């Protein structure tokens, strides 16, 4: 797909998209389209329930008087509410409308509403971002009926008064979009293909972007004492891996890095505490946290972010075989603390325990943020709209909450506390890996907290947002969402560069 920013001119072929705010009130380009088409929009408005709400669409085929094959009016909502998220939703909505058509070109002429928050080059870049994110498709494994699933769209044009400024604003957005696609690809890949070793191989491929990528083997992890992570992988035919990515972009080479840690369970069968069939489906996505970390590190490298950053990813496959970890086993983590594994399906926290400890002790980071599809309970609490945030640091939490709003990946803070910590007491070891029947997401976070020492830390439970079933969010056309890449990139861009 070819994307361009150009000064407004006549649309001589393909789709012409214009905007209307709530009312509906046509914006200038829409007014012009209405005139040129001899009032096609006005006539359509008279017989449609179009009020200019966000996501609403008015579509006219080949109106007489204009050369475009299709004229689309998109609702932008209240002018004062129109922001970068609104811009992205606008173009994504229009692109989504074209699935099932053979249109190959689309041109957006979206005027900035006077009181809106998105304008100029920023508006143009976010219009482009929405369109691009919506064109994603994962058709790797189809050998038939490709035409049904493939978009025909070849050309996307964004009209803007200052194309040079728009192109500049687009560069970091493009880095993010391509990295979101990488994260989505990884989540969508089937688990027979994406083993821990294959995941690590793909991570290695990012070294050509200037990232330093190390892969630790099981032997190396054993030497480091990572008994918690290794216990999870020991029932799998496939080797566990720890991937360490480093980006050195800060002016001061020795500046302490920001650190991201990802849960990379390439498939979660539950282990001997086997999941029932219905719950096991989709557990190829249990590496969504790892995918977000990879995507974030890729973004930082491509846009040459002025920050030092590290990504640590624990890659395992949680399987039941004769060598598998048993419920009742006691393992020793790298931190020295022992864990009684009472449920082998509470494996993510075991992987993170060692990955978190490794990230902190090796890199002494400014902060550490872990991302994990950690608990089904977070879906009960927050559904698919928010990720759960747990933290020992108010400032870092606030910054993430703010960044989440900006990029449309919202997070909601939930509590930690001593009272919950009691639920992790073990009869024979330092702790057990499950709490009681209640507050499952909190006890999981409380468990992780035991592997954090004197470092500002956030845990993001992304089990509700890393993939989606039917209820497609406007910018996400696939099962894997790539959630977290945009959030972390924005956090870094807003606070940790310079
Ligand atoms: N990967 C799952 C969590 C999950 C569940 C993610 C549903 C996405 C959708 C995790 O490893 C798990 O199995 N958690 C258990 C913990 C329990 C055994 C304490 C859970 O949530 O049931
Ligand atoms: Mn599990
Ligand atoms: Zn899991």
């Amino acid at each position: 797909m070819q994307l361009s920013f150009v000064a407004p001119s006549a649309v001589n072929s393909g789709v012409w998209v214009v905007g209307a705010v709530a009312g509906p009130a046509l914006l200038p380009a829409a007014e012009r389209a209405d005139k040129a088409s001899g009032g096609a929009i006005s006539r359509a408005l008279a017989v449609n329930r179009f009020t200019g709400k966000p996501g609403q669409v008015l579509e006219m085929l080949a109106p007489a008087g204009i050369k475009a094959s299709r004229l689309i009016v998109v609702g932008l909502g209240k002018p004062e509410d129109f922001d970068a998220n609104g811009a992205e939703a606008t173009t994504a909505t229009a692109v989504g409308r074209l699935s099932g058509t053979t249109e190959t070109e689309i041109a957006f002429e979206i005027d900035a509403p006077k009181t809106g928050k998105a304008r100029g080059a920023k508006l143009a870049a976010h219009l482009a971002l929405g369109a691009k994110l919506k064109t994603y498709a994962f058709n790797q494994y189809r050998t038939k009926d490709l035409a049904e699933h493939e978009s025909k769209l070849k050309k996307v044009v964004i009209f803007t008064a200052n194309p040079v400024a728009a192109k500049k604003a687009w560069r970091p957005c493009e880095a993010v979009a391509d990295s979101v696609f990488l994260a989505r690809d990884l989540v969508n890949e089937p688990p027979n293909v994406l083993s821990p070793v294959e995941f690590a191989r793909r991570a290695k491929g990012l070294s050509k972007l200037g990232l330093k990528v190390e892969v630790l083997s099981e032997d190396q992890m054993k030497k480091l004492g990572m008994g918690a992570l290794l216990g999870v992988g020991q029932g799998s035919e496939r080797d566990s891996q720890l991937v360490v990515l480093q980006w050195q972009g800060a002016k001061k080479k020795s500046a302490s890095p920001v650190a991201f840690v990802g849960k990379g369970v390439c498939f979660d069968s539950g282990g001997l505490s086997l999941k029932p069939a219905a719950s096991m489906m989709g557990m190829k996505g249990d590496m969504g946290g790892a995918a977000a970390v990879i995507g974030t590190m890729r973004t930082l490298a491509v846009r040459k972010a002025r920050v030092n950053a590290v990504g640590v990813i624990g890659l395992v496959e949680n399987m039941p075989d004769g060598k598998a970890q048993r419920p009742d086993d006691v393992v020793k983590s790298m931190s020295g603390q022992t864990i009684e594994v009472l449920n082998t399906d509470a494996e993510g926290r075991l992987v993170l325990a060692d990955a978190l400890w490794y990230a902190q002790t090796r890199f002494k980071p400014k902060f550490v943020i872990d991302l994990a599809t950690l608990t089904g309970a977070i879906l009960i609490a927050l559904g698919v709209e928010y990720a759960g945030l747990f933290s020992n640091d108010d400032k870092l939490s606030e910054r993430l909450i703010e960044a989440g709003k900006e990029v449309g990946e919202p997070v909601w803070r939930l509590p930690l506390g001593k009272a919950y910590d009691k639920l992790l007491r073990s009869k024979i070891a330092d702790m057990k890996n499950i709490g009681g029947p209640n507050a499952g997401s909190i006890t999981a976070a409380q468990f992780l907290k035991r592997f954090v020492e004197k470092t500002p830390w956030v845990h993001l439970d992304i089990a509700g947002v890393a993939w989606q079933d039917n209820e497609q969010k406007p910018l996400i056309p696939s099962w894997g969402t790539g959630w977290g890449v945009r959030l972390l990139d924005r956090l870094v861009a807003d606070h940790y560069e310079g």
Side-chain angles (χ1 to χ4, degrees):
M1 190 202 66
Q2 184 207 329
L3 179 75
S4 50
F5 299 93
V6 299
S9 65
V11 176
N12 291 320
S13 60
V15 186
W16 184 11
V17 185
V18 294
V21 291
L26 300 182
L27 289 163
E31 289 282 9
R32 267 189 288 112
D34 194 33
K35 276 219 183 76
S37 61
I41 297 179
S42 301
R43 285 198 300 280
L45 281 176
V47 293
N48 280 282
R49 292 203 165 112
F50 181 91
T51 60
K53 273 198 205 132
Q56 279 186 338
V57 168
L58 195 65
E59 190 174 355
M60 287 138 282
L61 281 177
I66 64 174
K67 287 186 177 150
S69 57
R70 198 179 290 252
L71 178 60
I72 293 180
V73 186
V74 184
L76 310 187
K78 290 190 190 135
E80 65 273 20
D81 294 343
F82 187 71
D83 55 8
N85 293 320
E88 290 162 14
T90 299
T91 46
T93 300
V95 167
R97 269 308 259 237
L98 300 186
S99 67
T101 77
T102 57
E103 298 283 5
T104 58
E105 293 174 40
I106 189 165
F108 291 95
E109 192 162 2
I110 306 294
D111 307 280
K114 281 204 178 61
T115 53
K117 290 167 196 128
R119 55 188 58 256
K122 181 178 164 195
L123 171 60
H126 285 275
L127 289 169
L129 183 55
K132 169 135 182 172
L133 288 173
K134 190 67 169 188
T135 60
Y136 176 83
F138 188 75
N139 289 326
Q140 211 77 23
Y141 297 97
R142 294 187 199 280
T143 65
K144 291 188 183 28
D145 306 325
L146 256 180
E148 262 173 54
H149 299 279
E150 242 171 16
S151 149
K152 285 259 175 292
L153 207 55
K154 294 280 158 332
K155 247 178 96 177
V156 175
V157 176
I158 311 288
F159 287 132
T160 173
N162 189 343
V164 176
K167 268 175 216 157
K168 191 166 170 230
W170 169 239
R171 251 178 261 139
C173 292
E174 186 177 32
V176 170
D178 289 334
S179 304
V180 169
F181 284 10
L182 169 63
R184 287 178 183 173
D185 280 349
L186 290 167
V187 174
N188 286 325
E189 279 287 359
N192 57 330
V193 172
L194 196 71
S195 62
V197 168
E198 173 59 15
F199 193 121
R201 193 187 67 79
R202 295 190 189 189
K204 270 257 171 217
L206 296 181
S207 51
K208 64 175 182 290
L209 300 172
L211 286 164
K212 182 172 169 203
V213 187
E214 297 160 85
V215 178
L216 274 62
S217 66
E218 289 195 347
D219 280 346
Q220 286 169 298
M221 287 189 269
K222 204 175 214 159
K223 283 197 189 103
L224 289 164
M226 294 190 172
L229 184 154
L230 288 168
V232 176
Q234 88 191 23
S236 167
E237 289 290 321
R238 280 115 165 241
D239 279 352
S240 303
Q241 307 263 279
L242 191 86
V243 172
V244 184
L245 307 116
Q246 294 180 65
W247 170 248
Q248 290 272 333
K251 252 189 259 149
K252 212 172 118 205
K253 266 202 118 68
S254 63
S256 65
V258 299
F260 306 110
V261 172
K263 169 179 173 182
V265 177
C266 292
F267 185 72
D268 181 11
S269 71
L272 285 174
S273 311
L274 197 66
K275 285 182 186 293
S279 319
M280 208 186 292
M281 259 190 295
M283 282 302 147
K284 67 172 182 179
D286 210 17
M287 30 55 69
V293 171
I294 287 273
T296 302
M297 295 301 290
R298 184 190 179 281
T299 308
L300 297 179
V302 171
R303 69 174 185 77
K304 304 221 182 313
R306 294 155 74 87
V307 68
N308 291 342
V310 304
V312 175
I313 294 173
L315 293 164
V316 300
E317 188 181 47
N318 188 21
M319 298 289 267
D321 80 356
K323 295 199 218 73
Q325 163 159 277
R326 290 152 291 256
D328 282 354
D329 279 1
V330 172
V331 295
K332 187 167 197 163
S333 67
M334 184 182 175
S335 74
Q337 300 174 91
T338 57
I339 305 158
E340 186 181 17
V341 179
L342 290 180
N343 188 322
T344 63
D345 197 13
E347 86 297 341
R349 63 198 74 181
L350 299 170
V351 173
L352 289 174
D354 282 338
L356 276 168
W357 195 260
Y358 180 85
Q360 291 166 87
T361 50
R362 174 165 172 197
F363 295 107
K364 309 274 180 296
K366 274 196 184 68
F367 65 71
V368 60
I369 298 175
D370 77 73
L371 296 93
T373 48
L374 203 63
T375 65
I378 203 70
L379 271 144
I380 307 296
L382 299 175
V384 301
E385 304 304 333
Y386 286 85
L389 181 151
F390 303 83
S391 181
N392 62 5
D393 191 274
D394 292 343
K395 191 163 124 203
L396 185 57
S397 301
E398 281 308 316
R399 288 177 168 182
L400 270 166
I401 289 166
E402 199 42 51
K405 285 183 197 156
E406 286 176 43
V407 301
E409 292 182 341
V411 296
W412 194 267
R413 191 171 183 183
L414 293 165
L416 291 163
K418 278 211 182 86
Y420 297 106
D421 206 48
K422 287 204 292 281
L423 302 171
L424 297 172
R425 278 185 198 149
S426 157
K427 290 197 173 71
I428 62 168
D430 297 339
M431 68 195 87
K432 56 188 169 90
N433 76 330
I434 49 170
N438 302 327
S441 304
I442 302 176
T443 49
Q446 201 71 53
F447 179 97
L448 297 180
K449 188 168 183 288
R450 295 180 174 216
F451 300 88
V452 175
E453 234 175 43
K454 296 185 214 111
T455 309
W457 157 73
V458 161
H459 158 56
L460 296 172
D461 193 334
I462 63 170
V465 295
W467 63 80
Q468 59 174 7
D469 285 322
N470 306 313
E471 73 295 358
Q472 303 227 317
K473 295 178 187 170
L475 299 169
I476 308 170
S478 90
W479 186 78
T481 60
W483 195 101
V485 176
R486 299 189 61 189
L487 174 72
L488 298 180
D489 173 63
R490 176 50 58 99
L491 175 79
V492 171
D494 282 354
H495 299 288
Y496 298 95
E497 288 188 66

